Amino acid sequence: EVQLVASGGGLVQAGGSLRLSCAVSGLSFDDYAIGWFRQAPGKEREGVSCISSRIGDTDYADSVKGRFTISSDNAKNTVYLQMNSLKPEDTAVYYCGAYRGTYYCLQPPGAYDYFGQGTQVTVSS
């Protein structure tokens, strides 16, 4: 059974930092890229960042470049999203997903094969 468990969300002031974790079981990082998505109220889910150990690819949405860093600990089957210089517009539920495709990993959510439950990130101004 594939499971992706996101954690680490919370309430933070603008300019602050949070680190999200996505603990993955039931699949291999050799076969799947892992991506972070977010969904704000009334908006569609959007890709934030992704990492593919298979092809050595990391990618970021323009809105988070230079502020967010994705990394993975293959021994722990965990992917992290370090979020710095947070802004109120980063407020959303953050989800992690798994993508088996062969293209670069920052794909629309419909291309992903699995998603976990989300973790709420709230950035106050």
Side-chain angles (χ1 to χ4, degrees):
E1 179 186 7
V2 175
Q3 285 192 320
L4 297 98
V5 180
S7 62
L11 173 63
V12 64
Q13 289 188 330
S17 298
L18 283 173
R19 188 177 80 156
L20 305 183
S21 299
C22 177
V24 181
S25 60
L27 58 81
S28 170
F29 287 178
D30 290 336
D31 298 323
Y32 286 83
I34 303 298
W36 284 99
F37 293 78
R38 65 187 182 187
Q39 188 164 16
K43 294 189 176 182
E44 293 186 351
R45 190 172 296 191
E46 63 174 357
V48 174
S49 181
C50 61
I51 184 166
S52 173
S53 299
R54 180 182 57 201
I55 62 173
D57 174 43
T58 58
D59 210 350
Y60 299 90
D62 288 344
S63 58
V64 306
K65 280 180 181 176
R67 300 188 298 123
F68 291 10
T69 303
I70 194 169
S71 62
S72 67
D73 184 335
N74 290 6
K76 295 183 178 179
N77 275 7
T78 300
V79 172
Y80 304 98
L81 185 69
Q82 178 66 44
M83 306 187 297
N84 298 330
S85 302
L86 282 161
K87 304 175 181 180
E89 51 263 44
D90 294 318
T91 295
V93 178
Y94 283 70
Y95 301 86
C96 54
Y99 170 66
R100 194 184 174 100
T102 56
Y103 298 102
Y104 69 96
C105 57
L106 200 61
Q107 295 289 329
Y112 271 60
D113 299 280
Y114 302 99
F115 278 98
Q117 94 297 347
T119 185
Q120 177 70 48
V121 171
T122 303
V123 184
S124 63
S125 57

